[in-house]
Amino acid sequence: MVEEKRYQVFVSSTYTDLTKERAAVIQSILRMDHLPAGMEMFPSADDDQWELIKQVIDQSDYYVVVVAGRYGSIIDADGISYTEKEYDYAVESGIPVLGFVHKDPGSIPDSHTEHKEDARELLELFREKVKSRPVNFFGSPEELGGLVVTSLIQATRRKPRVGWIRGDKAMTVETEKEILDLRKELDAARTAQAEAERSLVEDTTKLAQGEDEISIPLRVKYFLPRGRKWEYVSFNVKLTWDEIFGSIGALLIDEATVEQVKDRCDDELVKHLTDADLDEIPEESQSSESILERADWETVEFQLRALGLIDSGVKKRGVQDDNKYLKLTSKGLRHLAILRAIKRPETSPTE
């Protein structure tokens, strides 16, 4: 039974500077009736310890890494800390990684930060490595504990793992295999249904698309210090549908919120402002901000839906996530690949 399953969660971080944060993470894991594992289990630092750490990571269902103000001691032949070495091993092993990065490093007490330049550089590189994957940002142990709960709930739903079950509650190997096979068949049926629905799109030849141009209103808000007031100037930005889709498409490969996609569209419109447009904004203005109105964004969204390039997201998310998501359709992914692919240089007929 799913509710009887317990997951082992490996907790990785520097230690003395994050005592309270580690305690919050471990308490959150225990409150969820899961099993925390981490450096508290490893009393010494040697080759035998690393072998034990790898075994525990291999036996864990999820991996949590917390990054704040310290990089940790460089005790590896490759010149990296144990925390980064554990992180790399978890990623290479395919274990779902839940990353948590301090949102304001400047507020961390000096006693809990790196003072040596080389250590600070390694910490920054490690921070960027962790941030290259989806992460959560925390500012306190209490906030971190809450984020761990919600992230772990989402991870166990999206990527359920083997876990641990009491012997008297465990299913037989045959029963579990049968359930996994049925889940695969259900996923295949859902995929086939979605493909069938997408194949029923109406004729789009009469719709604006590709190299067809569209003019989209965009307002720019700027602050005038001499009058201590905000002013607005409006533009009609011209660009093609392929330019819009080529910009926002990459964001939708793994799904994104409507607001994220709208912001990306806003950024693309700003890139197409002409020099004449920019001359309308006073040089002394400060804190300028572009504004794509909701109605104008919806025109873009529904046009791309009508063209069969995007659709509503389908991934399962936590109950507290009330965002609306968008994703690429199969047609959209193929069209994006063509737009973003590197073309051969054009040659003349005589060459």
Side-chain angles (χ1 to χ4, degrees), residues 80-326:
I80 62 176
S81 67
Y82 255 120
T83 304
E84 184 166 6
K85 190 170 183 177
E86 291 167 354
Y87 175 86
D88 289 344
Y89 184 76
V91 171
E92 292 168 3
S93 301
I95 297 173
V97 173
L98 310 180
F100 302 89
V101 178
H102 200 288
K103 69 172 68 172
D104 184 14
S107 68
I108 299 175
D110 186 64
S111 59
H112 289 171
T113 61
E114 295 289 0
H115 295 159
K116 295 182 179 180
E117 183 64 28
D118 58 344
R120 287 199 298 269
E121 291 178 357
L122 288 171
L123 174 61
E124 185 58 30
L125 290 173
F126 182 44
R127 181 191 296 270
E128 292 304 315
K129 178 189 289 188
V130 175
K131 287 166 59 179
S132 68
R133 293 169 167 267
V135 298
N136 286 281
F137 296 91
F138 70 94
S140 67
E142 294 76 20
E143 184 179 13
L144 174 61
L147 289 171
V148 168
V149 171
T150 55
S151 297
L152 196 51
I153 289 174
Q154 292 174 2
T156 56
R157 288 175 178 171
R158 292 198 307 264
K159 298 180 180 179
R161 303 276 287 173
V162 176
W164 305 83
I165 303 176
R166 283 172 53 99
D168 59 342
K169 301 293 184 181
M171 293 182 291
T172 65
V173 174
E174 292 78 9
T175 303
E176 188 163 6
K177 183 179 183 303
E178 183 178 351
I179 291 176
L180 290 174
D181 289 341
L182 289 172
R183 284 179 178 171
K184 290 179 181 178
E185 291 178 11
L186 180 59
D187 288 341
R190 286 172 175 167
T191 301
Q193 180 183 4
E195 291 293 338
E197 291 175 351
R198 283 193 288 269
S199 68
L200 297 176
V201 295
E202 298 180 5
D203 181 15
T204 63
T205 56
K206 296 182 180 180
L207 300 180
Q209 57 190 291
E211 293 300 315
D212 296 332
E213 276 195 339
I214 179 176
S215 180
I216 302 177
L218 181 71
R219 286 200 305 163
V220 174
K221 171 184 174 183
Y222 58 89
F223 183 74
L224 286 177
R226 67 173 182 269
R228 300 187 62 80
K229 62 179 181 179
W230 290 94
E231 296 284 354
Y232 295 86
V233 60
S234 297
F235 304 104
N236 285 316
V237 183
K238 291 185 178 181
L239 71 171
T240 68
W241 285 104
D242 272 353
E243 285 173 328
I244 295 174
F245 182 67
S247 174
I248 68 175
L251 197 63
L252 298 175
I253 291 177
D254 195 35
E255 299 194 6
T257 67
V258 171
E259 289 302 318
Q260 289 172 326
V261 185
K262 176 177 175 292
D263 289 344
R264 177 68 66 87
C265 185
D266 189 326
D267 293 341
E268 183 64 21
L269 294 177
V270 171
K271 294 178 184 177
H272 285 78
L273 290 174
T274 65
D275 291 339
D277 292 333
L278 297 175
D279 287 341
E280 295 190 36
I281 303 175
E283 292 185 2
E284 67 271 21
S285 64
Q286 300 176 351
S287 304
S288 61
E289 175 187 351
S290 59
I291 303 172
L292 172 61
E293 298 294 348
R294 174 68 57 182
D296 297 315
W297 155 248
E298 289 175 349
T299 298
V300 173
E301 177 186 344
F302 285 112
Q303 185 75 5
L304 296 178
R305 283 180 180 270
L307 292 170
L309 300 176
I310 67 173
D311 204 347
S312 300
V314 295
K315 289 186 176 179
K316 292 183 178 179
R317 292 178 169 88
V319 293
Q320 295 181 342
D321 189 349
D322 57 358
N323 291 302
K324 294 182 179 179
Y325 287 80
L326 296 174

